[in-house]
Amino acid sequence: MAFAMVYPYGKSILITGGSSGIGRAAAELFAEKGYTVWAASRHCEEKTEKIGFGEIISIKMDVCDEESVKNCVEKIAGETGIGIVLCCAGMGIAGAAEDTFEEDVRRQFEVNYFGVLRVNRHVLPVFRNQGKGLVLIMSSVAGRVPLPYQSHYSSSKYALDAYAQALRAETKDFGIRVCIIEPGDTKTGFTDARRMSLPENSPYREHCESAVAKMAHDEENGVSPMKPALVALKASEKENPPVHITVGAMYKAVMALKRILPDKLFLGAIAKIYK
């Protein structure tokens, strides 16, 4: 028996990081279900693809550039309107907390945290004016479970978690909903693109390289990016989606253990995994 799609926020969605990984998977999935998908990224060929019952319009936008974001959002709002924004743009830096270069930390936050703020700053007025909208933030389990040798990546995701919860409270009366999605290990190009910030003489070098190799192995054997994309699609069908959606039974169990176990035991277990 076929079920009709539900579009409580309309059928136009802006996806950042829409040219690869989870962003691209989400773009294809939403288009198949009848959405007009604006897939934004820094490097893309601007074109329109008909997919399923909808389309993907690739558009250039740099989440680290205020003018680029402003112009892009204005163009989309003027042509099709925006009912949903799905923030997928992100990058990762690995290294020991002590000796990760400051410029790398700033770059990490510029993309993962300030990039989301910058996009939402221009999208939220559109949502307020129309009386509804949905903000979906593709974060990570690392946003609530800190990973050794990815402390700054984890911190950028922790910051998004606090931001999303506060934003949800602030925008509730305007008909805007905010949901943060937390995938675990996912097989995307993110693994190969991860930057290492590790001085040659670092006392953490051996342990860091071992931990990052373990992370890379788990990611390369992780779930398809279509899985978190499907979670985003299902959230878009709800008038009031949950604040957090953790992707996958294993990671839901990890979150449950985090709530139950004392911090000392939980963090000790995480440290052993990446030793």
Side-chain angles (χ1 to χ4, degrees):
M1 179 178 178
F3 292 90
M5 279 290 296
V6 179
Y7 305 96
Y9 306 96
K11 298 172 70 174
S12 178
I13 179 172
L14 164 60
I15 301 177
T16 69
S19 64
S20 62
I22 296 173
R24 177 62 191 185
E28 293 175 357
L29 184 59
F30 274 83
E32 286 173 2
K33 300 301 181 180
Y35 282 85
T36 296
V37 179
W38 293 85
S41 64
R42 287 187 303 159
H43 306 295
C44 69
E45 177 188 351
E46 295 195 327
K47 61 181 180 179
T48 299
E49 306 166 73
K50 297 291 183 181
I51 296 181
F53 295 102
E55 61 183 358
I56 298 175
I57 305 171
S58 297
I59 186 170
K60 288 184 179 180
M61 183 177 78
D62 183 353
V63 298
C64 296
D65 184 290
E66 187 78 27
E67 195 67 18
S68 173
V69 173
K70 177 178 179 291
N71 293 339
C72 187
V73 171
E74 286 180 352
K75 175 180 174 64
I76 298 169
E79 292 192 16
T80 64
I82 308 172
I84 306 169
V85 60
L86 171 57
C87 298
C88 290
M91 51 92 71
I93 291 172
E98 177 184 337
D99 54 24
T100 300
F101 304 116
E102 185 174 325
E103 57 267 33
D104 287 340
V105 179
R106 291 182 183 279
R107 177 62 179 169
Q108 179 76 93
F109 271 80
E110 185 62 35
V111 178
N112 288 12
Y113 182 69
F114 290 106
V116 173
L117 271 60
R118 198 170 285 114
V119 171
N120 286 343
R121 187 162 56 246
H122 292 282
V123 169
L124 288 171
V126 178
F127 288 174
R128 281 191 291 101
N129 288 338
Q130 64 197 20
K132 68 165 44 181
L134 176 62
V135 177
L136 296 173
I137 299 173
M138 193 63 67
S139 183
S140 167
V141 169
R144 288 198 283 165
V145 178
L147 300 177
Y149 304 106
Q150 289 204 76
S151 60
H152 302 298
Y153 173 78
S154 299
S155 296
S156 71
K157 297 300 187 179
Y158 261 70
L160 280 178
D161 186 51
Y163 163 77
Q165 292 187 63
L167 183 66
R168 183 173 172 117
E170 293 170 5
T171 59
K172 177 183 175 183
D173 291 344
F174 295 103
I176 299 170
R177 300 293 178 260
V178 181
C179 172
I180 191 158
I181 300 169
E182 303 165 329
D185 294 317
T186 307
K187 185 176 175 59
T188 68
F190 181 89
T191 303
D192 290 336
R194 181 186 288 115
R195 301 183 187 183
M196 291 292 291
S197 185
L198 188 63
E200 286 292 334
N201 62 347
S202 171
Y204 303 95
R205 189 172 189 87
E206 183 179 348
H207 285 164
C208 179
E209 290 178 339
S210 175
V212 173
K214 173 71 166 62
M215 293 169 195
H217 174 271
D218 292 345
E219 290 163 356
E220 288 165 356
N221 291 276
V223 301
S224 162
M226 195 57 74
K227 188 165 185 176
L230 183 58
V231 169
L233 179 68
K234 290 181 177 178
S236 74
E237 297 177 356
K238 299 180 184 297
E239 289 279 1
N240 190 22
V243 180
H244 297 97
I245 306 178
T246 304
V247 181
M250 182 176 75
Y251 295 104
K252 289 177 182 177
V254 170
M255 292 300 190
L257 283 174
K258 189 176 190 298
R259 289 192 294 270
I260 296 169
L261 294 177
D263 287 347
K264 183 177 180 180
L265 289 179
F266 182 80
L267 292 174
I270 295 296
K272 286 182 179 179
I273 292 172
Y274 295 106
K275 189 171 182 180

